[in-house]
Each structure stands twice: as structure tokens, then as C-alpha cells.
Amino acid sequence: MADIRPFPCIRPCREKADRIAALPYDVYSRAEAKQAVAGRPDSFLNIDRPETQFADDMDLYDEKVYQKAHDLLWEKVADGSFVRDERNCYYIYELTMDGRVQTGIAACASIDDYLNQVIKKHENTRADKEEDRIRHVDACSAQTGPIFLAYRFNRAIQEAVEEVKKQEPLYDFVSDDGIRHRVFCMQNEAQIGAVQDAFASMGEVYIADGHHRAASAVKVGLMRRQAHPDYTGKEAFNYFLSVLFPDDELMIMDYNRVVKDLAGMTPEAFLQKVSAVFEVEKIEAKDRRPPQKGVFSMYLDNHWYRCAVRAKDIPKDPVGSLDVSLLQNLLLAPVLGIQDPKTDARIDFVGGIRGLDELERRTKQDCAAAFAMYPTAISELFAVADAGLLMPPKSTWFEPKLRSGLFIHEIER
């Protein structure tokens, strides 16, 4: 059973919500983050990426950097930029992108559910990235960026959410990227009970995005348990900030690949190799988007090609049958020698939000070929996680991105 709890949120005052809300810390490089906060003192990115407050030669992991995050956060709480709700509530977070609406519940998930695999993951995490967020959460004594969780559609939850959305929202604004954000507060005890019971009836929920944030929050919670050997399990540090969405409302975009060279082959020779592996046909640019699973498009030497995987080459296992696995295992590794896409500098990844024109641009600028992928399905993500397996790197790109700073979970007062 999933323990998904309401909590007393620290959140922006209504007047500043649109200025405070910021994209997640990990979508920016250091230079991009510094540019993004320039002239925006209210942006939560100042707190999420506190190195932006220092000279460029400051060590990212200096203790002063994390102390700055702490100071900025609690100064903003003290000056009224944030308000503190004392009651345990769920918060309904609705995002609208290009007319498509997805609605989640901001709540706290149990670190024990994470440890016991009730909350299932599909990615490994890197120790260096974990360490940064561990120190950030520990210094702030608060979780500032929600983990994006997914669950299978549940009618009782949907009905409670839709009822709350009839109220006046706490926030209603459109961010710079055109995404509309609305937040509502669920404080009716009967509704809260219905939602909590519905989650308790679920055998599993899934991390869609935010594996490093989740792992870091859990490790800070375990650290706090060690510091409080008499803990009861009900303390705030036993839970981590999440927003949970039903699977039927989520959209995964394509996560595309570009390669820097053709391993010494000419484009003609490489095309022959590709044609030996896949069913290949030349196509017009207007038809470049892959139409279905098992098909990807290749941009090579100023031309687009449709490449279809032969049925006999598709394994039955949930990881091997992913399109990103098929491309890797049938072409990138054996033909181009790209054995480990996590570490090989010859491959790069382009999120679907950038569009397919970006693949053409990269190929003309610094790459030799590009591969447009069909998006991974949420059902495929669930199947991999249910099998206790891990996806290849860069398999999913979720849009829209959840904003940081709208919900803050203090883990110890």
C-alpha cells in the first residue's frame, strides 16, 4: 500500500507565485542558471542553484553555497514572500500545455515505500548528483523540488480532484514558456481521506522523473533517523515532496540521438550498414516523425530515412524491446562502436521539446547523423519498473516540467 500523505506546505504568497515558480534546477547548465536568475531576485532558481549568487570560480560544492541556499530560503519565508499552511492538505496542481491538461496531487510520499519498492524506479542515479541534492536538502532542512510520480488511473482520486478544481485557485498564471499553472488546496477531511485511502489501496506508484531528487531526499531522511534514534516514523523527515499524476494524463516526448561521427565510414557506406540491419526507405522531411513503435527516422547527409526494425529482431523483455534499446543494440553499439551511451562522448541526446529541426541543425553543425525516436509509452515505463529493471539513459522526456518553489516541504522545525 502506498502511504501518500497531506502536509503543511510552505508556498508562495499569491502576488509572487508567478515570479517565484522556476523550472527544475537540473535543466540548466551553470552558465544558463546564472543567466536565468539575472534581474529575477524572486525566482526560486536562486535558491535551487545558489552558486548563481557567487563568482563563476566559486566551487559548486563549497559549504558556503549550500548555506546561501538556506539563508535565501528562510529570508524569503521571513519577509512574507512565502506563507506557511499549518493544516495538513493536499494541493491540486494543474498544468496546461498546448491545450492538453494534466492534474497532479502535491503530497508527501514515504521513504519506506521507496526503500521497500512500493515506489518503483526505472533509472540508476549518480553519486555526485545525489550528493549535491543531499547537501542542499540537509542545509535547507526542506525539500524544494517535487519528485514527479505516476500512478494508474483511480476513479475515486479523479472525482475528488475534479471537485476541488471547482474552487477558486490559489494560483493561476502562465509561465514564460506558455504553460498555464493552476493550484488548488484540498482541505476537506472527507476528500483527503478518500484520496489517502485510494493511494493506500495501490500496490505501487512510479517515479516518472526526479530519480536523483528522490534518492537524495530518502538519504537525508535516513540521516535524520540516525540523528533521532527515538523517531516514530511520523516525523516530516520520513516523507518526501512529490506530485502524483494519473497515467492516462501523462505525455512522454521523444528523446532523440545524434552521433558525432560515423566511425570512419562515408555516409554511403554507413547507409549500407543501416540497410543491412533495418528496413530503410528514403522519405520527405514532412514525413520525418516516426509513425509508430519499432520505427525511427535517420537524418544523414542532408536526407531523411525511415528505418523499421524487423519483427524477428525485437526481444520479448521489457527493456530490450524499447525503441531506444533496439537502436542502441542493433546499430549504435555493433556498427558505430558506441558501447556505453552514458559515457561515450560520440553520442549526444536531444529532448523532444527542441523539435526535429534541432536534429537537422546539429547534424549540419557538429554531428554526422541524427535519429528521431518514437516516444516511450508510460506503459513501457511501468513494465520496466514492475520487472525490477532499469531503462537505458535518456529514454523518457516528460513535458511539461513541474515548477520548483510552488510547494516546499519542511522536514524538521
Side-chain angles (χ1 to χ4, degrees), residues 343-385:
T343 60
D344 199 317
R346 296 171 56 219
I347 187 171
D348 199 3
F349 305 91
V350 181
I353 194 67
R354 297 183 180 273
L356 298 185
D357 286 346
E358 177 67 7
L359 299 185
E360 295 191 15
R361 188 190 72 80
R362 287 292 304 273
T363 304
K364 293 171 182 175
Q365 174 182 294
D366 63 346
C367 295
F371 304 93
M373 310 303 298
Y374 190 76
T376 302
I378 190 70
S379 59
E380 292 179 301
L381 184 155
F382 285 0
V384 170

Side-chain angles (χ1 to χ4, degrees), residues 277-396:
V277 178
F278 306 112
E279 296 175 357
V280 178
E281 63 173 316
K282 195 172 185 179
I283 58 175
E284 299 294 327
K286 64 182 178 63
D287 299 318
R288 61 190 177 174
R289 188 164 295 282
Q292 63 189 50
K293 178 175 168 53
V295 177
F296 64 88
S297 299
M298 177 177 68
Y299 190 66
L300 174 71
D301 199 23
N302 297 316
H303 296 291
W304 281 98
Y305 299 87
R306 180 166 294 158
C307 307
V309 182
R310 298 182 175 98
K312 67 178 182 63
D313 292 327
I314 302 177
K316 299 298 185 184
D317 71 276
V319 174
S321 61
L322 296 171
D323 279 14
V324 290
S325 297
L326 294 167
L327 177 66
Q328 174 64 32
N329 296 336
L330 296 175
L331 183 67
L332 299 184
V335 176
L336 291 180
I338 299 173
Q339 303 297 337
D340 187 352
K342 289 183 290 188
T343 60
D344 199 317
R346 296 171 56 219
I347 187 171
D348 199 3
F349 305 91
V350 181
I353 194 67
R354 297 183 180 273
L356 298 185
D357 286 346
E358 177 67 7
L359 299 185
E360 295 191 15
R361 188 190 72 80
R362 287 292 304 273
T363 304
K364 293 171 182 175
Q365 174 182 294
D366 63 346
C367 295
F371 304 93
M373 310 303 298
Y374 190 76
T376 302
I378 190 70
S379 59
E380 292 179 301
L381 184 155
F382 285 0
V384 170
D386 284 340
L389 301 173
L390 301 173
M391 284 188 166
K394 313 297 184 183
S395 295
T396 57

Side-chain angles (χ1 to χ4, degrees), residues 1-4 90 118 157 193-204:
M1 54 183 287
D3 183 5
I4 306 297
Y90 288 127
V118 172
I157 295 176
V195 170
Q196 197 161 5
D197 289 347
F199 279 121
S201 72
M202 296 180 188
E204 61 282 311

